[in-house]
Amino acid sequence: MSELAVKDSQSRTLTGIALKVASVVVFVGMATCIKLAGEGVPPGQIVFFRSSMAMVPVLAYLAARRQLHTAFKTDNLLSHFWRGLVGVSAMACGFYGLTHLPLPDAIALGYAKPLVMVILASIFLGETIRIYRWSAVMVGFLGVLIISWPLLTIFNGDFWQSTQTLGVMAVLTSAVLAAFAMILVRRLVATEKTPTIVLYFSLSATLLSLASSPFGWVALDTSSLVLLMCAGLFGGIGQIMLTQSYRYAEVSTIAPFEYTSIIMGIVVGYFLFGDIPQWSMLIGTAIVAGAGLFIIVREHRLGLERKSARRFTTPQG
């Protein structure tokens, strides 16, 4: 590989990471709006606003790029359906947990998703995960356990009567489903345009969540309505950034940057909701973030070593 190609590869990876971090910032804003809207709003109703309003920035993005007339063209309608079904299920579970748990705790439990993504990327996408990265993933899971331990102790009480218990179960289920959804996205980006993927997801999510209306939607006051509409707008912008990030870097490379959300979550949770993080959360977060950084540093070093070896290897023949 030429030096120019190496620089281009590094530039693409950095672009993917930047897009991932930007999407995390926007998604924390989305979560804050949902949290402020209150826990009385059914998950299906939240998903409806999140998905329908998300189409506004998506359509604006398409119009600005003059791609609106081709956005609906796809040869993978069934793949879009499965991505939508899994994604909607993940969102519904995540939103339920978000409205029943403190914001930092909900974010911390969601940290299981990037770790699962690394594993699934190896199984379904054939990405090479070396022993050092596997070790870092295991350490990351330990960090997630430490973060969530105060919440997991609620399992000693009345299991089905605790809303926090159900919240924990919902967020962990959401993490696994979201990891599967991202694997489906990773496959879709090989043949589909980013706006097409996001648009079909928003459409399928809107229709699927609308089908939940007979099971109990609530009348919204003005503030809750505005907050949920803003959550949808943030969700659309974040989805575009997230989907685009997978075009530039491997899932297992950008996944650890999900951990930057804990800093924002702690700040927002403290000032808006009075959530004070426990020492277990801070210690566990440090472990998880350290594991993620180790993955990035290790893979970067190995990449440099491979390039150096190729540069100084004497041709045989």
Side-chain angles (χ1 to χ4, degrees):
M1 183 182 294
S2 66
E3 189 170 331
L4 182 61
V6 171
K7 290 183 178 179
D8 180 67
S9 177
Q10 292 175 342
S11 176
R12 288 180 60 84
T13 299
L14 290 175
T15 299
I17 291 171
L19 286 168
K20 172 65 176 180
V21 173
S23 72
V24 169
V25 174
V26 175
F27 281 133
V28 169
M30 180 194 74
T32 301
C33 290
I34 293 172
K35 186 73 175 172
L36 288 170
E39 64 179 57
V41 184
Q45 191 171 5
I46 297 175
V47 173
F48 172 78
F49 281 97
R50 154 67 175 88
S51 304
S52 59
M53 292 304 299
M55 286 191 288
V56 175
V58 173
L59 292 174
Y61 175 80
L62 291 174
R65 294 175 61 89
R66 298 182 180 180
Q67 296 177 344
L68 197 57
H69 63 290
T70 60
F72 289 93
K73 293 182 179 179
T74 179
D75 295 324
N76 297 290
L77 195 58
L78 185 60
S79 296
H80 284 292
F81 169 77
W82 286 116
R83 185 268 186 272
L85 182 61
V86 175
V88 167
S89 301
M91 280 201 300
C93 291
F95 292 159
Y96 179 89
L98 180 63
T99 57
H100 289 81
L101 293 173
L103 180 61
D105 296 310
I107 292 175
L109 284 171
Y111 279 174
K113 181 180 71 173
L115 302 176
V116 176
M117 284 173 60
V118 172
I119 297 173
L120 295 182
S122 173
I123 297 174
F124 294 104
L125 300 180
E127 292 187 6
T128 301
I129 314 297
R130 298 170 179 80
I131 184 62
Y132 295 98
R133 190 151 44 169
W134 281 122
S135 300
V137 168
M138 294 300 104
V139 172
F141 274 122
L142 175 62
V144 171
L145 179 61
I146 294 174
I147 292 170
S148 59
W149 185 254
L151 292 174
L152 294 177
T153 58
I154 62 179
F155 287 100
N156 295 329
D158 193 339
F159 188 84
W160 295 110
Q161 297 302 316
S162 171
T163 56
Q164 279 200 331
T165 298
L166 296 177
V168 169
M169 294 175 61
V171 174
L172 292 178
T173 301
S174 173
V176 176
L177 290 174
F180 273 108
M182 289 302 98
I183 293 299
L184 294 175
V185 169
R186 190 70 171 88
R187 286 180 170 177
L188 279 171
V189 297
T191 58
E192 301 289 285
K193 297 178 180 179
T194 296
T196 301
I197 296 172
V198 176
L199 185 60
Y200 270 99
F201 174 69
S202 297
L203 284 172
S204 59
T206 299
L207 294 176
L208 288 170
S209 59
L210 187 61
S212 70
S213 59
F215 300 98
W217 282 21
V218 298
L220 300 174
D221 56 34
T222 303
S223 62
S224 295
L225 179 61
V226 171
L227 285 169
L228 290 178
M229 292 176 68
C230 289
L233 293 174
F234 288 149
I237 296 170
Q239 196 68 45
I240 292 174
M241 293 178 175
L242 178 63
T243 304
Q244 191 71 10
S245 70
Y246 291 104
R247 294 185 182 275
Y248 292 93
E250 291 185 351
V251 172
S252 50
T253 298
I254 65 177
F257 287 91
E258 182 77 18
Y259 306 134
T260 57
S261 62
I262 192 60
I263 300 174
M264 293 172 281
I266 289 175
V267 173
V268 173
Y270 178 78
F271 286 103
L272 290 184
F273 306 108
D275 298 329
I276 301 176
Q278 300 184 14
W279 278 106
S280 58
M281 171 177 286
L282 298 177
I283 294 172
T285 300
I287 294 175
V288 173
L293 290 174
F294 177 84
I295 290 174
I296 300 302
V297 171
R298 179 63 187 176
E299 288 305 302
H300 177 68
R301 182 178 300 172
L302 286 175
L304 293 178
E305 289 176 357
R306 287 192 295 268
K307 296 178 182 66
S308 177
R310 284 194 295 268
R311 186 178 299 118
F312 294 105
T313 296
T314 302
Q316 301 295 319

